[in-house]
Amino acid sequence: MDIRKEKRLNMALQMSNFKKALNRFEKLVEQTAAQKRDERAGLFIHKEDAIGYDKFYASVQKLFGPDVKNQDVKRFYRKLCNNMDASADWCEIFGYFSSEEDPIASQLDEENLVFFVSRKRRILISGSRRRDVIKSIVKIPHLDLLITATQKGLITVFNNQMRVQTSTNVTDTSWITGCDYLLQLKRIVATTERTIIVWDYKAQGSSQDNYFVIKPMDHCLLCVCVVPLPDHLCRDDILLGDDGGFVNRFTVNSDDFGIKQAKSKRKLQNQVLDSKNFKSVKRKLHNDWVMKIRYISALNCFGSCSLDSNHSLVLESLKRLEDNLPVREFSMPRGANTFCYCVKANVIVTGGDDKVIRLWHPNISTKPVGKLVGHMFSITEIVTNEKDQHVVSLSSAKVFRVWDIQTLSLLQVFHDSQGGPGDMQIYSMIYDANHGMLITGSSVMDMYPLTRMIQDTKQVPHTHEREINVMLYNKYFHQVLTICSESIIRVWELETGLEVYQILEPHGFNTEVTSAAVDESGFLFATGAYNGTVRIWDFGSGQEMKVLPEGKDWKEDEHCLRRLIFLKAQEKHQQLVLALERNGTIKMIQGKEDDIYLMVIWELPDVVPFLQDGKHAVHLRMSTRDRNMAIPFPDVELIVERNFSQPTDNPTMDLLRVNCIDLLQVEGYNLIAAGTLNGVIILWNFVTSTVKKVYRPEDCFTVNPDLHPKHFKINDILFLFRTPECARRSSQDSICSSSQCESSKGPQSSKGSKQSIHDSEVKGEQTDVMVGKQQPMDKKHPGIANLPEVQPPILVTAHEDGHLRLWTLEGRLLKDMLPFTKHSAISLTSLYTDSCTRILLAGNVEGHVILCNISSFLDPPHDEKKFKQLLSWRAHSLEIIQVIYVEEKQVVLTASIDGSVRWRKTSSMSLLFKRTPPKAFEVEQDFEFFKSLSSPKIRRYPLEGFVTENREAGIVFGSLPIYSISSPTSLRFLPLIGIEAQKDSSDGFTGKKKGGHVQREKAPQRSLKKNLVPQINLASSFFPAIPK
């Protein structure tokens, strides 16, 4: 009995403790939600009082014990941050979700599948007739349009938002059987049982419903496809399959439809054209109905399938339609209803009434290379997902099966549950690669999205497990460097996202890395840690080269490094780094070639005590200290009055502590700008030997005395300076890329690129920071004297109150803007500009990125209306710590404390930067031998064979694979190789076969060192040319 009582008492005590923990948890949730509301309202919250994720997770662990999983708490915290008013259930902390549905099926299983069936979207056929069905769906990838054709004559064009762009009704007595898009004529072609319809979907007004009718046809048309002919303008070839087993090639020209005629001659409605006036050829290839016809550009041939068991699939070039030579035939029981081609795997997938999916090699028609069994009814449609290497098959019972084409394994099975097997039959199916969506057509149009395309807020992809402290971009290696709070350095390839290498504990055990910088050449990078140590590394290998050890008398966090900037060294094999410490100290660190230790050689004096009591400027005395080397900044001393007494224990001095810096070193300017915790800008000018307070909040606008001084805290500061070269380009349509601005870059650039000025004559109002004498002309740039006048630099600051402010060097406010986002007054954290100072990017604490156009604003008289915010988007769910614009890729990189680095290529960027991409290098014949033009690159994936054998050559030699080696996108600066090279640039590879070797039409871009791999053309030795 005593044991039972003890158990009851323990149970009651546990329940009581758990109830208390739940009450505390509710208070914690209410406190966190209230704080998030205050942040969105623009109210300032001290960082020591802020409840971040780490603090929230520690509190939950303290309440419920260490068994609470990190991913469950993180999911709950993100849900709370996104919607503070949402109902919060404590069960979610432990991974349980209260729902009427099965939580396992709804939360776990479906998210692991290929298609998110529960997110299916349905679109009804607007204006359709009774019992009408969608017979054909066509996707136009380059226009991002979707075309549907119903059986009773409704043709509809949808835009990328799946909204109806235009439509027409075909008034024909026979039913529509298929449709496609004419690439050259830019019209839509549809087939009925006895006619061909050509419709100009872009026509306006009364002529919108006009179309051309081509008839008569010899047999009932069942399917249609268009042959892409990029070399033939104003002409398209149409392939037609009919119920007689014939494949017809129909040629249409722009003159046939009066496209070049006057408008008055096009007002006739529904013109009927005689099919005998068109060039056409046909050949009987099957003994039964032709069910589907496609043109496969990768194989340069067409394919047609039929219910014929002997001639089930024919794969041959278009020339075989004009003669009676044997064709390549594939046989299968009961024929084939549908087929498709997978480019990467180089297989043709077929399906028919025998319920078996077969995989064929294009040149081996005797036996399939694989079979997929599982369907219980006839297979009616098959599509492929090239990116994921998936095959989606559909049966007449409306059952979908998703297969992995590499492993031949089944990934997912789902079905359309609405209606019976005979009701709402699905007649067409396509896969939209642009949006990652499976689209089917019946009496309605259903869209099944890929699971990875659904933005899942509970599981965000991570670059690091912990929050990111630093992100850098190396434009010469095209690599991204990231550092997290766990002090793990990782280097990634920009294009592929693959990790190159990582460095664990770079500054020792349990020492957090807080800052980093890449030097101008891209070969070195420096890191600064929480304890004040600095290390220099080789970027290519990650090897440590030099170190600044920790001082003996240093406190734990007094010398924590907030910012590092590489300086231009005057001597070779020497490194100079400008460092900002947490206590506001700005110092210079030197590394010599023969010494592994770094040393501090220069330090700015503390000017904060001397800028109190209304004093705005302090003069500097250049020191006469002898140095055995030249440094970018001179040694300076403050010139102060003798009776000046330095104040002690003044609380305002701590608010003047420097929080961020930027520098500008070009001809005529040698400046360091510093932003402080209370919003004051301090400008060190080494040309005029002064240091002054450029801006104070109380000088520009009325300050609310109830606001904390940190409300105006400057989180980032940036110089905006445009060189004459970039000023001249600003009047042109295109903007220079980073490679084009290479020659104009200045000796220093801490963010973006500030180019040097070789020759400038400043006119008009002269500030106290400018040099008014005309500089001698640079002999290397003889034409630079005609460049536009150099404009003084401008300062831009990102504030805690969410405002973006632009200043002159005298402290005059040019623009005060509150960026427009979902919630106003959100603290800004990071700034970045491009090399020619055309755009300005800013990130805030809620994960938004703001893009502004400042191209016209920088030109005097700095009209406020010319400073325009173009757009903003939510890049992360939490605070952004760094935003970078990669000019050559036109990509915005963002890093956040949520542990992820993401990039986005926006349409607005392409509107601003209209740089013509470099043209490829074209050769007339393959080289037999040539040397590699750069160091070899390690390939992470095996080479992909795209033509493996030739039917005429035989199976032995024909089985040798032919590989395609990627070529650089631009070789304009490299010498021509071989005497047969005729051109140094072209629009791309021709794609023509030469001696059995097939070249790719477009060479994929590579992000790292672009190289050529030695290659011997042995194809012509083994394989004869394939006749078309």
Side-chain angles (χ1 to χ4, degrees), residues 23-47:
N23 293 332
R24 294 176 184 173
F25 176 72
E26 290 179 359
K27 293 181 180 179
L28 176 65
V29 171
E30 291 176 359
Q31 185 179 358
T32 306
Q35 189 178 101
K36 296 301 177 183
R37 292 190 192 98
D38 293 341
E39 288 181 0
R40 292 192 174 183
L43 300 179
F44 175 78
I45 297 175
H46 293 280
K47 283 197 173 181

Side-chain angles (χ1 to χ4, degrees), residues 719-731:
F719 279 105
L720 301 178
F721 182 74
R722 183 177 295 164
T723 64
E725 294 89 340
C726 286
R728 180 183 59 188
R729 295 192 195 104
S730 64
S731 61

Side-chain angles (χ1 to χ4, degrees), residues 741-782:
C741 292
E742 259 329 281
S743 60
S744 62
K745 285 186 183 171
Q748 288 309 318
S749 172
S750 60
K751 292 182 185 177
S753 301
K754 288 92 179 177
Q755 293 94 345
S756 61
I757 304 299
H758 299 285
D759 179 47
S760 62
E761 183 177 3
V762 181
K763 299 181 181 180
E765 182 181 0
Q766 181 175 347
T767 66
D768 63 340
V769 294
M770 297 182 62
V771 178
K773 297 181 181 180
Q774 184 176 354
Q775 303 295 330
M777 183 181 298
D778 194 337
K779 295 180 180 180
K780 296 181 181 179
H781 303 274

Side-chain angles (χ1 to χ4, degrees), residues 654-706:
D654 185 61
L655 295 176
L656 269 174
R657 192 174 73 235
V658 175
N659 187 52
C660 53
I661 62 171
D662 193 21
L663 64 90
L664 178 67
Q665 283 190 310
V666 294
E667 193 73 28
Y669 299 97
N670 197 1
L671 309 171
I672 294 179
T676 62
L677 295 179
N678 65 346
V680 173
I681 300 174
I682 300 175
L683 184 67
W684 295 80
N685 191 338
F686 299 97
V687 175
T688 60
S689 303
T690 57
V691 53
K692 65 177 183 177
K693 286 193 290 187
V694 172
Y695 151 70
R696 295 187 308 165
E698 57 269 20
D699 294 340
C700 296
F701 42 82
T702 304
V703 177
N704 188 353
D706 297 331

Side-chain angles (χ1 to χ4, degrees), residues 65 145 213 250 283 395 397 404 540 594 636 674 685 692 702 740 887:
L145 297 178
V213 181
F250 218 80
R283 179 177 176 181
S395 71
D404 189 323
D594 54 350
V636 295
N685 191 338
K692 65 177 183 177
T702 304
Q740 289 170 317
E887 293 188 52

Side-chain angles (χ1 to χ4, degrees), residues 153 168 199 211 246 316 344 385 483 621 668 759 887 900 924:
T168 186
W199 174 49
Y211 51 85
F246 288 90
E316 200 46 88
K344 282 188 177 181
N385 177 359
I483 306 174
R621 178 187 297 114
D759 179 47
E887 293 188 52
S900 65
E924 294 299 329

Side-chain angles (χ1 to χ4, degrees), residues 676-855:
T676 62
L677 295 179
N678 65 346
V680 173
I681 300 174
I682 300 175
L683 184 67
W684 295 80
N685 191 338
F686 299 97
V687 175
T688 60
S689 303
T690 57
V691 53
K692 65 177 183 177
K693 286 193 290 187
V694 172
Y695 151 70
R696 295 187 308 165
E698 57 269 20
D699 294 340
C700 296
F701 42 82
T702 304
V703 177
N704 188 353
D706 297 331
L707 289 176
H708 194 277
K710 286 189 177 181
H711 186 75
F712 299 99
K713 175 179 136 182
I714 300 176
N715 291 324
D716 204 359
I717 190 169
L718 182 64
F719 279 105
L720 301 178
F721 182 74
R722 183 177 295 164
T723 64
E725 294 89 340
C726 286
R728 180 183 59 188
R729 295 192 195 104
S730 64
S731 61
Q732 301 174 355
D733 293 334
S734 61
I735 185 168
C736 65
S737 64
S738 59
S739 61
Q740 289 170 317
C741 292
E742 259 329 281
S743 60
S744 62
K745 285 186 183 171
Q748 288 309 318
S749 172
S750 60
K751 292 182 185 177
S753 301
K754 288 92 179 177
Q755 293 94 345
S756 61
I757 304 299
H758 299 285
D759 179 47
S760 62
E761 183 177 3
V762 181
K763 299 181 181 180
E765 182 181 0
Q766 181 175 347
T767 66
D768 63 340
V769 294
M770 297 182 62
V771 178
K773 297 181 181 180
Q774 184 176 354
Q775 303 295 330
M777 183 181 298
D778 194 337
K779 295 180 180 180
K780 296 181 181 179
H781 303 274
I784 208 158
N786 297 326
L787 293 176
E789 180 179 316
V790 179
Q791 300 299 329
I794 291 175
L795 280 170
V796 57
T797 52
H799 292 261
E800 187 74 15
D801 61 355
H803 284 253
L804 201 62
R805 298 184 173 99
L806 290 92
W807 315 86
T808 64
L809 296 185
E810 294 79 27
R812 182 168 62 92
L813 181 63
L814 297 176
K815 177 71 175 178
D816 186 358
M817 186 190 77
L818 183 63
F820 178 80
T821 55
K822 183 177 180 181
H823 306 283
S824 59
I826 305 301
S827 300
L828 300 177
T829 56
S830 177
L831 295 173
Y832 198 87
T833 187
D834 63 300
S835 61
C836 285
T837 326
R838 292 291 189 87
I839 63 168
L840 180 65
L841 287 164
N844 65 16
V845 297
E846 279 199 356
H848 290 94
V849 178
I850 298 99
L851 171 65
C852 300
N853 183 2
I854 59 174
S855 178

